[in-house]
Amino acid sequence: MIRLDYFTPADFTQLITWIDSPHLLMNWSGPMFNFPLTPDKLEWYLQDTNQLGESDVFIFKAVDTTTETVVGHISLGSLSQKNSAARISRVFIAPEQRGRGLARRMLTEALRFGFEQLQLHRIDLGVYDFNEAAIRAYTRAGMQQEGCSRDILRYEGEYWSLIEMSMLDHEWQALHPQA
């Protein structure tokens, strides 16, 4: 099982250790941060987050409930009350934890928070097209592919395309009827 707890300054060092290259940072956050990731940058990232009824961003660490080990990071942001929508971003699995199906479980818990706690109608995300493992995990969690923004980012002379995926509240209910 995976539990999402709010990401706090106590978690900064671990995330900084995980994000150990410019390429990995770009894949995780797009152009939001520049390398190296630092506590100051993460302080800014946490400002005005994680307050139910107030914040438009919720940032989580993922905890494996069997071992109580932090195994990943995920955020739900761009919260729009008007449109009853939000966007999942900055999904990261600890390098030593990959290949265990954690991305799907983390995503499911973030979707549960969005649909059940925040009562959202739509949750979307973007994933670079070369990240095939993430695309498979998100599809297994029930996300629907909507399209592709081709060559949206240029990194080290190479263009990256972004696959857009989403889920609607009725799709969540169909997958989780007890919710």
Side-chain angles (χ1 to χ4, degrees):
M1 291 279 296
I2 292 293
R3 179 182 75 238
L4 297 183
D5 293 339
Y6 290 136
F7 182 74
T8 70
D11 303 305
F12 288 1
T13 300
Q14 184 170 50
L15 184 62
I16 289 167
T17 302
W18 289 342
I19 311 285
D20 62 357
S21 73
H23 186 272
L24 194 54
L25 181 65
M26 184 62 69
N27 190 18
W28 174 66
S29 70
M32 183 175 188
F33 296 106
N34 57 357
F35 191 79
L37 198 55
T38 64
D40 287 346
K41 293 172 188 172
L42 291 174
E43 282 285 348
W44 166 81
Y45 174 53
L46 267 186
Q47 285 180 356
D48 302 320
T49 65
N50 301 339
Q51 299 296 315
L52 282 172
E54 296 176 27
S55 298
D56 65 352
V57 179
F58 295 88
I59 302 172
F60 302 101
K61 62 183 172 187
V63 179
D64 180 330
T65 59
T66 309
T67 62
E68 289 300 312
T69 303
V70 176
V71 296
H73 180 95
I74 191 167
S75 69
L76 180 69
S78 301
L79 184 61
S80 167
Q81 293 297 333
K82 177 184 176 200
N83 296 314
S84 188
R87 186 168 181 87
I88 289 176
S89 59
R90 284 170 288 291
V91 179
F92 192 85
I93 305 297
E96 67 276 7
Q97 300 291 336
R98 294 186 182 147
R100 297 181 46 213
L102 296 173
R104 178 187 54 79
R105 288 185 261 168
M106 281 174 38
L107 179 64
T108 298
E109 291 309 310
L111 291 167
R112 182 181 318 285
F113 179 81
F115 288 123
E116 296 178 16
Q117 184 91 17
L118 301 178
Q119 299 295 302
L120 297 174
H121 170 69
R122 173 190 166 85
I123 300 174
D124 62 36
L125 62 78
V127 57
Y128 292 116
D129 66 345
F130 58 80
N131 195 342
E132 295 174 8
I135 294 165
R136 280 192 305 276
Y138 303 158
T139 301
R140 286 183 186 130
M143 299 293 284
Q144 302 294 313
Q145 189 168 327
E146 294 185 325
C148 181
S149 296
R150 299 176 305 145
D151 293 353
I152 196 166
L153 178 87
R154 187 171 181 195
Y155 181 75
E156 294 186 347
E158 178 180 288
Y159 286 99
W160 293 5
S161 296
L162 191 71
I163 294 176
E164 292 290 335
M165 303 179 85
S166 71
M167 182 181 285
L168 303 177
D169 55 357
H170 67 86
E171 295 164 338
W172 171 260
Q173 288 296 326
L175 290 171
H176 305 276
Q178 71 283 0

